[in-house]
Amino acid sequence: MTGRIMTRDAGAVSIRAFEHAVRLGHPYLGGEHYLLARAARDVHRRPGRFSPRRCSGATRGDGVFLPHGPGVNQALVAARREAAARHAAQADVGHLALGILAAGEGLVPTILSRLGTSGPALGTAILDRYPSAS
């Protein structure tokens, strides 16, 4: 994939995840912040500068930098793989969600376990229900 690696909507989720991390005072951008961003139904396109850094973290337009927490790089790589497997030029929100669920590190697996599910089980259920949604 060349150019932008995510669609505008997936980028909006990343911005919201970053905002959740900053609001919570966390020193990193983690998968749990992406889950919060997806759970909050107010994700929409907003103007703003946000620059994901390849394999290291993210910087907001005002210079605030947060390194990626455990599992985030793994999730972003998995999202790109999901997109490529479906012949998409960019990872969309569905690919991003599947990538986050596939991550084996960080807080996401623990959160899902406490909810009585796992990333792979939830990802499979999503693909079974919405095979073309990603």
Side-chain angles (χ1 to χ4, degrees):
M1 289 182 273
T2 59
R4 298 188 84 138
I5 59 171
M6 284 191 252
T7 63
R8 289 178 59 100
D9 288 341
V13 171
S14 292
I15 290 169
R16 292 295 293 149
F18 187 94
E19 291 170 349
H20 280 294
V22 170
R23 179 181 55 80
L24 293 168
H26 294 172
Y28 62 89
L29 178 60
E32 65 275 20
H33 304 116
Y34 279 90
L35 285 180
L36 282 169
R38 286 297 297 137
R41 297 182 186 256
D42 62 348
V43 172
H44 55 359
R45 292 184 192 146
R46 293 196 292 182
R49 292 182 49 216
F50 176 82
S51 172
R53 291 188 177 182
R54 209 174 276 250
C55 298
S56 63
T59 303
R60 198 169 55 189
D62 60 4
V64 173
F65 172 78
L66 291 178
H68 285 159
V72 172
N73 289 334
Q74 183 183 17
L76 295 175
V77 168
R80 290 184 209 127
R81 283 191 190 132
E82 289 288 342
R86 289 161 179 75
H87 308 289
Q90 298 173 316
D92 64 18
V93 174
H95 303 130
L96 187 57
L98 291 170
I100 291 164
L101 293 173
E105 298 177 6
L107 293 177
V108 171
T110 302
I111 292 167
L112 295 176
S113 175
R114 288 186 180 174
L115 292 172
T117 190
S118 69
L122 191 52
T124 298
I126 290 168
L127 289 174
D128 286 348
R129 174 94 189 242
Y130 306 102
S132 63
S134 55

